[in-house]
Amino acid sequence: MASATSADTFPQMGSLGDVHMSGERRLPASPVNPVMETRDLNVFYGDFHAVHDVNLSYGRHEITAMIGPSGCGKSTVLRCLNRMNDLVASARVEGEVLYHGQDVYEKSVDPIAVRTHIGMVFQKPNPFPKSIYDNIAYGPRVTGMKVDNMDDLVEEALRGAALWDEVKDKLKQSAYGLSGGQQQRLCIARTIATRPDVILMDEPCSALDPIATARVEDLMLELRNEYTIIVVTHNMQQAARVSDRTAFFTARPDETTGNRTGLLVEYDLTSTIFSNPNDKRTEDYISGRFG
Amino acid sequence: MSTAATAAAQTVRLTAGRSRERNVGSLVFLGLLWFSLFFGVMVLVVLIIDTMLKGSVRFDSDLLFSYESSLNPESTGFRAGILGSLWLMVTTAVMAVPLGIAAAVYLEEFSNSRRWYNRIIEVNLQNLAAVPSIVYGLLAVAVMALFGFQQKNIVLGGAIALALLILPVVIITSREALRAVPREIRDGSLALGATQWQTTWRQTLPSAIPGIATGTILGLSRAIGEAAPLLLLGLGAVRFDPEGVLSRVTALPIQIYRLSTQSQVAFQEAASAGIIVLLVMILLLNGVAIFIRNKFQRSW
Ligand SMILES: Nc1ncnc2c1ncn2[C@@H]1O[C@H](COP(=O)(O)OP(=O)(O)OP(=O)(O)O)[C@@H](O)[C@H]1O
Ligand SMILES: [Mg+2]
């Protein structure tokens, strides 16, 4: 698969200030042809206004990190992207969530179809109480994917998640026998087995030790070549290490009700966010001066 | 003061004096708890032993394999009752289990609990579980009349009454079993593009089966001891094996009830022996339930 991030895909930007250099990666200041976009996204849980006017775009084959203090609505925004918020009875979404220009919240759109294109990895590893093999095969089976050889697909997915060598001799054993880090990589393998376009990750490493975390981070960098990744993290170093762009959210208390509504403060290339952020609040947060 | 001395002083303070765990108030309270437990268990033990002693003269093969006989009180047996109870249990399970699981799945997985009608169902379900069993007997009589059955003391009639009786229990325990399946499993399945329906069939229900089975069996073991609703349907003496759901039937508790109201000592003894048979059947059912629970129990 051709990498859309190679230098010739994007015309050379005028000044060096427009171009972000991260290893061999050169990125335009804002995503060209973003895979996903949110426009004036507002989310309510009942009367509670959880997220206010989020405008974000997620670039193809990029890793976008969403950071910010607890309760500022990062997970809420993430769960809007593949309509997982539909499962919360009280949740109401306003604004647009565009996937290749198509609003996924339009009436005619089937949320099931959305989720086959936009996969999700959760905070706590959540393998199914089945064998490792069946965990991977589950997605392709339920979505009715055309599969010539399921064994090959399972192997491919496990290799893709850098788990194959560790589990190839125990595919028929329960996934519950794996370590936490292996379980999380299994969940990533399970997600890529359905060949999504975008992978959402909600604090994928928060339940893992540093070594397992490093492996998952390596994996994310590898997956970036084929997928678009959007990751919520509390780990500032992680955002700095893996992401191309970073969105910083915070929560602002309402004057009258005192409810804390989340909003997007700043969105930029990760290098900019971490080296010279525009907003004082971003600077305070990433330097650990935030309350 | 040196640190060593401080440490020593603290150690002394930790060990000296009587523990507050063992003051008079606590001891009295503990004694009361023990007495309550002892009292409850004792009554049960005495009752069972007394019944066993009374019935012991009748622990013979006639007890299990003979029909009820008023001519030979010494060899009257529970064949019709045992077979009848088994028929009733199987038919009850066939009716109550699918209905109960389906209702539980609807309530847990598909219903919007904020809708007023779902809330009404919710509240009523709790109340239904506490309704006296005889009411279900009345209900079954009405249902049988509605379907135009002249004879209501047949397997079908009894099973309808018992199925109605255990339905709330089956629904409530099945819901608990479904609720015990973590949200994350459902989310994981849905996030892969599975439908709600696929998620329920392939993930939630299979994971909940042990809990549902346990609850159902416990419900059945309650139903097997019921006499009141069956009496209302007119179940009485029967001297043949049931041959189908439309066959006339009797049940173990009915037989016991009838025998224990007789004045002859031999009948009383047979009734006591019958109670032991019933207890053994209930114990077996509960044993199966415990076995399933331990065998398939999953910690998430
Ligand atoms: N299902 C829900 N029902 C009601 N309120 C919710 C629900 N989920 C989240 N919220 C509220 O919405 C706000 C944003 O929550 P969200 O989980 O998106 O925050 P977050 O940024 O992901 O926090 P964290 O970093 O702790 O995961 C919080 O105030 C939270 O209490
Ligand atoms: Mg979160």
Side-chain angles (χ1 to χ4, degrees), chain A residues 79 84 87 89-90 112 115-116 119-120 122 124 126-130 138-139 141-143 176 190-191 194, chain B residues 112 114 182-196 198-199 202-203 206-207 298-300:
Chain A
R79 291 167 60 89
M84 284 300 277
L87 307 175
S90 65
I112 308 294
R115 292 181 203 132
T116 60
M120 186 165 207
F122 297 84
K124 204 174 129 225
N126 60 344
F128 302 130
K130 296 172 182 286
Y138 180 78
R141 280 181 188 146
V142 293
T143 53
Y176 280 45
R190 183 174 82 181
T191 304
T194 59
Chain B
N112 179 348
R114 297 194 302 169
R183 175 86 250 154
E184 287 85 30
I185 298 292
R186 297 180 180 82
D187 283 352
S189 171
L190 291 166
L192 286 170
T195 61
Q196 184 93 44
Q198 287 171 323
T199 303
R202 296 180 180 227
Q203 299 291 353
S207 300
R298 182 189 307 288
S299 54
W300 296 98

Side-chain angles (χ1 to χ4, degrees), chain A residues 198-266:
Chain A
V198 181
I199 302 177
L200 312 177
M201 300 184 173
D202 194 347
E203 302 182 40
C205 302
S206 65
L208 307 184
D209 70 64
I211 293 171
T213 299
R215 301 206 59 166
V216 172
E217 285 178 8
D218 288 345
L219 177 58
M220 288 166 72
L221 288 171
E222 245 168 68
L223 292 175
R224 181 176 62 181
N225 299 324
E226 285 183 57
Y227 305 93
T228 299
I229 298 178
I230 303 169
V231 57
V232 169
T233 178
H234 270 284
N235 183 331
M236 229 66 66
Q237 285 79 29
Q238 179 168 73
R241 275 193 300 263
V242 301
S243 73
D244 299 300
R245 297 176 198 280
T246 300
F248 172 66
F249 290 77
T250 193
R252 182 184 53 194
D254 188 288
E255 286 95 13
T256 48
T257 58
N259 285 336
R260 293 166 58 82
T261 299
L263 66 150
L264 176 65
V265 174
E266 191 172 355

Side-chain angles (χ1 to χ4, degrees), chain B residues 28-234:
Chain B
V28 168
F29 190 61
L30 201 65
L32 267 173
L33 294 182
W34 270 105
F35 176 75
S36 309
L37 182 68
F38 177 77
F39 187 77
V41 172
M42 240 7 238
V43 169
L44 205 65
V45 168
V46 167
L47 211 64
I48 291 177
I49 291 179
D50 181 53
T51 312
M52 273 174 106
L53 288 178
K54 264 200 212 135
S56 60
V57 288
R58 283 305 320 275
F59 290 163
D60 51 40
S61 61
D62 276 340
L63 185 75
L64 300 179
F65 301 118
S66 296
Y67 294 114
E68 192 170 330
S69 160
S70 43
L71 299 175
N72 302 312
E74 287 78 20
S75 66
T76 188
F78 290 93
R79 179 189 177 115
I82 293 170
L83 285 173
S85 281
L86 289 177
W87 266 92
L88 285 169
M89 282 311 102
V90 171
T91 319
T92 301
V94 165
M95 286 196 267
V97 172
L99 273 178
I101 294 178
V105 165
Y106 168 74
L107 287 170
E108 270 313 299
E109 307 293 323
F110 292 93
S111 80
N112 179 348
S113 60
R114 297 194 302 169
R115 289 272 150 73
W116 61 268
Y117 45 84
N118 287 325
R119 269 208 294 240
I120 290 181
I121 293 175
E122 194 97 5
V123 171
N124 275 310
L125 212 55
Q126 303 292 336
N127 292 337
L128 277 180
V131 167
S133 60
I134 197 152
V135 175
Y136 291 106
L138 282 169
L139 208 58
V141 169
V143 170
M144 292 296 280
L146 204 67
F147 287 130
F149 283 100
Q150 296 299 318
Q151 222 174 17
K152 300 183 180 64
N153 52 357
I154 59 178
V155 174
L156 186 65
I160 288 176
L162 296 178
L164 290 170
L165 172 76
I166 69 166
L167 203 50
V169 180
V170 174
I171 294 175
I172 289 170
T173 49
S174 300
R175 289 186 69 183
E176 270 158 20
L178 289 168
R179 217 173 299 153
V181 179
R183 175 86 250 154
E184 287 85 30
I185 298 292
R186 297 180 180 82
D187 283 352
S189 171
L190 291 166
L192 286 170
T195 61
Q196 184 93 44
W197 192 237
Q198 287 171 323
T199 303
T200 303
W201 267 115
R202 296 180 180 227
Q203 299 291 353
T204 320
L205 256 185
S207 300
I209 287 294
I212 293 175
T214 314
T216 304
I217 295 171
L218 292 179
L220 284 175
S221 78
R222 178 183 165 198
I224 201 173
E226 281 291 343
L230 301 180
L231 280 173
L232 215 64
L233 281 157

Side-chain angles (χ1 to χ4, degrees), chain A residues 59-95:
Chain A
R60 169 169 288 282
H61 298 306
E62 290 181 7
I63 299 179
T64 307
M66 302 203 282
I67 61 170
S70 204
C72 65
K74 307 178 296 291
S75 301
T76 299
V77 170
L78 195 73
R79 291 167 60 89
C80 285
L81 299 180
N82 68 342
R83 292 194 58 172
M84 284 300 277
N85 264 348
D86 290 20
L87 307 175
V88 180
S90 65
R92 188 161 54 83
V93 175
E94 283 175 8

